[in-house]
Amino acid sequence: MSEIVLETRNVTRDYSIGGGLFSKQKTVHALKGIDLKLEKGKTLAVVGESGCGKSTLARIITMIDAPTSGEVLIDGQPVDITAGPLSSEMRRKVQIVFQNPYGSLNPRQKIGDVLMEPLNIDGSVPVSERRERAMGMLEKIGLLPEHFNRYPHMFSGGQRQRIAIARALMLNPQLLVLDEPVSALDLSVQAQVLNLLADLQDEFSLTYVFISHDLSVVRYIADEVMVMYFGEAVEYGTRDEVFSNPQHNYTKTLFAATPRADVESIKKRLAAKVA
Amino acid sequence: MTKADTPLLEIENLTVEFDTASGNLKAVDGVSLSVHEREVLAIVGESGSGKSVSMLAVMGLLPWTARVTADALRFQGRDISNLTSSERRKLVGKDVAMIFQEPIASLNPCFTVGFQIDETLREHTKLNKRERRDRTIELFEAVGLPNPEDRLSAYPHQMSGGQCQRVMIAMAIACDPKLLIADEPTTALDVTIQKQILDLLVDLQAEKNMGMIMITHDMGVVAETADRVIVKYKGRKMEEADVLSLFENPQNSYTKALLSALPENATGDRLPTVTDLTFEQQANPEASA
């Protein structure tokens, strides 16, 4: 497989803040030239601390925000949202799942309506088929048909995140941007959602951009890893390259800071404590 | 490890119940635990397992709707289950201090952080204004805040999450507590900051000979800090063991499932999961234990 689904060329994004009556306008460089290429069916993990530009990158890839300079190519086609409305075909290709499943579902919308809304907006699926499609998706994510008419508050965090994933998949996208999809979830539920993502990737040959700060999750799920630090990609390579031989100091700090839960490191820590 | 004869905190058969619209909810169900001086006890469990509620019950911070019953609730051998509120105020914040999960939300946005620490010192110590100021600066230094003197007049929103958490820790250790309860102290923070905060807590704990209860859902945090671990699930204690034997040889099936769900322990291309325990499938943990 060598089909490139996503490519960015020297993407930058500046935000200007302030500029009111009393303060001078300041420019924040949220992204400072990001280049990446992602093949179909692969997972790119973007790692970094809060404020490093991970989510800005996600917004640009999802075509919510326009880059200040640089080019974004989705499925080989250049995208420019400032030039005018995009075709619904283009919009269909990329979908996003947000971090907090408690905030990203409308509490007054039934699950069935949540799932059918993308179809209603897109309009390419006939009205008569929409309900069926939503039911099918519900099953795929491991929920039951009777959940169709329930409200989000009746579900646990893990189930809600699965619903959010299902909503993103309703239009058969090629690229799914996952912005910290499991960091709000408990360990036991996290495993289920990660498994679901892996199953879906196999079934639909989806491409993932997986944003996370949890290195153990990244190590498990990613094919390629990009480490971001203050708007720059300080490290970009395959998972094994990055994990076995980190080049940048920040990556090393990040690895050193990740808590280790294996027996050897516990023994080492306890020995150090006695001494 | 030296263990004093009387444990710092002793809880026997603690139960906390809430009346909800759908009937009686036992958030904590017959939990016993004890912490000694110089010991780090980790309580680990997922959300809703009653780990925070049990500690809030000890601190007397639960709303009046909660029904707390316990066979014994002792701090340094003294019964604390029926304290009047003024007696409790003398204890809480001085001998027992707590650090909460959301550092930015648990500080008062209307007052400077210097003022908020000063408040604790004013309540619990006999220091005069000058001494309190010096003590606050000393505390800021201890928790590693840069430019401690300038920080006195900073408001919470002017600081990052990690800095706010340091202020919270400074406030908690202001009166040299004997027991520090840390409720998910690093959950809202980045890994690099998490490392700093955990190191800080463990150093302070060793330096001041405090007992510490670390409430967390992160097995990594447990592995990095704890001496002894209690695993909780649905309000009940599943397993209690020292940290090494818990990771090396977990006894309880829930603990085993939890450990195997860690992504770093993954062997195949799918993770083993803990059975989906939702409101519909009321699984009985003992049946599988």
Side-chain angles (χ1 to χ4, degrees), chain B residues 37-68:
Chain B
E37 252 176 55
R38 310 177 55 142
E39 186 185 38
V40 182
L41 171 75
I43 304 180
V44 65
E46 47 197 89
S47 46
S49 62
K51 50 193 196 306
S52 297
V53 172
S54 56
M55 285 305 116
L56 290 173
V58 172
M59 301 280 286
L61 293 175
L62 286 172
W64 61 272
T65 48
R67 260 201 313 283
V68 182

Side-chain angles (χ1 to χ4, degrees), chain A residues 2-29:
Chain A
S2 59
E3 203 184 320
I4 305 286
V5 174
L6 171 71
E7 189 177 349
T8 68
R9 291 182 191 151
N10 199 22
V11 162
T12 66
R13 171 76 211 188
D14 298 341
Y15 288 108
S16 35
I17 50 168
L21 191 54
F22 300 111
S23 57
K24 234 180 150 185
Q25 198 166 20
K26 273 197 290 186
T27 308
V28 176
H29 304 285

Side-chain angles (χ1 to χ4, degrees), chain A residues 50 154 186 195 199 216 269, chain B residues 47 190 223-224 226 270-271 279:
Chain A
S50 49
M154 302 162 102
D186 279 320
N195 284 347
D199 289 340
S216 54
R269 176 176 69 84
Chain B
S47 46
D190 282 324
E224 294 260 320
R270 292 290 185 276
L271 290 165
F279 66 100

